[in-house]
Amino acid sequence: MARRAQTSTAVLGALAIGPLTGYEIRQAITTVLGHFWHESFGQIYPCLAELEADGLIAATPGERAGSRRFEITDAGRGRLRDLLLEPAPPQAPRNGVLLRVFFGRELPDGAMTDLLDDVATEARTRLATYAGIRAGIAADPEYATHGRFWEATIRAGELSAQATIAWVAEVAPSLTT
Amino acid sequence: MARRAQTSTAVLGALAIGPLTGYEIRQAITTVLGHFWHESFGQIYPCLAELEADGLIAATPGERAGSRRFEITDAGRGRLRDLLLEPAPPQAPRNGVLLRVFFGRELPDGAMTDLLDDVATEARTRLATYAGIRAGIAADPEYATHGRFWEATIRAGELSAQATIAWVAEVAPSLTT
DNA sequence: GGGCACATGTAAGCTGTTACATGATTAA
DNA sequence: TTAATCATGTAACAGCTTACATGTGCCC
């Protein structure tokens, strides 16, 4: 029931937008959702089997032999709604960069500069990626109904990346001797 | 070796600032480090035992019967340095709020408003907490040597919280019908 | 003498990751 | 015909959480 609740939410949510095969769910999660949500592939198929057994999704034969395309059922849509209404479980923070900055005095000269440079570069790359995703989703036929939610999600990523870049610019002078 | 690398980093890092008992490490991790780093208490004592066996930390009897205060050894300081120089392992993102926003079309009326309100409130609470932590660390005798690193860490939290508040203000109008 | 903060530790169980195994279809 | 992509699945393992077990010292 509640054990794989978050994985179920992601899978049911994806299927609420349109029917997909397990492989396609996996792809959707790595490309679009991948920037704020992660699923281990080893969990998707067991999760699909469980959801199907519970009547929350239904399979139709896919184009290829052996492949199955899943659709969300009315019961599944109700369950998704319930799952989305539950408060988001707090993610235990494990920020490796901040851990290194916090103990930064133990870092040899130059290492802090490298670390901060990498962080800023990564944030800039993320910004570019978001721009690409934005262009991609705008072409999606579901954009009319889901677009504003997708845009808001990407916007969170952009503001976060910009905050990171601003942070590096602000603290670098005092941390790099 | 590499299995508990991140926990070792946090523990060695804490002991590099000053000698602590297991209990005090636990406290330090929940209060100051807690906002960007999490350790399960069940891991601290096994980790301490391992580090002691490897000669990276050394125990002296604490004030109370049975308690032990740990100090970092020279070997431990070298190991900490190596650990800090390793790139921070990427944390798989699992942002429950963004997952809910992304699938926001499935949310009933009003739920999105509540969700965003909660997010903004939580971010404001975090800002207030950071102000408290700032006041606390400024009084620490180690502030002179470590202060700028601690300040930079807190600053990252502040900028992140501010970005969250700005995000809610920006996207709320388009998401709450 | 009761409650709280200090202090240390373990063990069961759950979750999630990794690596592997298998095979169909399509493009070069 | 070979490589890449599509497609499904499992099983072993690593890591983490939770709950429990135990005891000291201080203050009211």
Side-chain angles (χ1 to χ4, degrees), chain B residues 10-31:
Chain B
V11 169
L12 285 174
L15 294 179
I17 297 171
L20 298 168
T21 66
Y23 192 84
E24 286 165 345
I25 291 173
R26 191 172 141 151
Q27 274 192 316
I29 286 174
T30 35
T31 54

Side-chain angles (χ1 to χ4, degrees), chain B residues 110-126:
Chain B
M112 182 62 77
T113 311
D114 293 345
L115 177 67
L116 293 177
D117 282 351
D118 289 349
V119 169
T121 301
E122 190 268 337
R124 277 184 247 278
T125 306
R126 270 168 60 209

Side-chain angles (χ1 to χ4, degrees), chain A residues 2-4 7 38-43 63-65:
Chain A
R3 58 179 63 185
R4 262 192 273 269
T7 301
H38 169 84
E39 278 307 332
S40 183
F41 301 151
Q43 290 178 253
E63 298 83 58
R64 285 157 169 267

Side-chain angles (χ1 to χ4, degrees), chain A residues 76-123:
Chain A
R77 223 171 265 274
R79 178 102 178 91
L80 173 60
R81 202 180 132 120
D82 293 343
L83 287 168
L84 289 174
L85 283 172
E86 274 177 27
Q91 189 183 211
R94 280 209 135 188
N95 191 322
V97 169
L98 291 188
L99 188 70
R100 280 155 179 77
V101 169
F102 192 83
F103 299 127
R105 205 188 84 111
E106 306 298 324
L107 276 173
D109 284 350
M112 180 62 77
T113 311
D114 293 345
L115 177 67
L116 293 177
D117 281 352
D118 288 350
V119 169
T121 302
E122 190 268 338

Side-chain angles (χ1 to χ4, degrees), chain A residues 47 50 55 61 71 78 86 100 112 127 131 139 141 144 157 161-162 167 170:
Chain A
C47 180
E50 203 175 273
E71 279 179 60
E86 274 177 27
R100 280 155 179 77
M112 180 62 77
L127 278 182
Q162 282 164 4
W167 172 71
E170 186 186 316

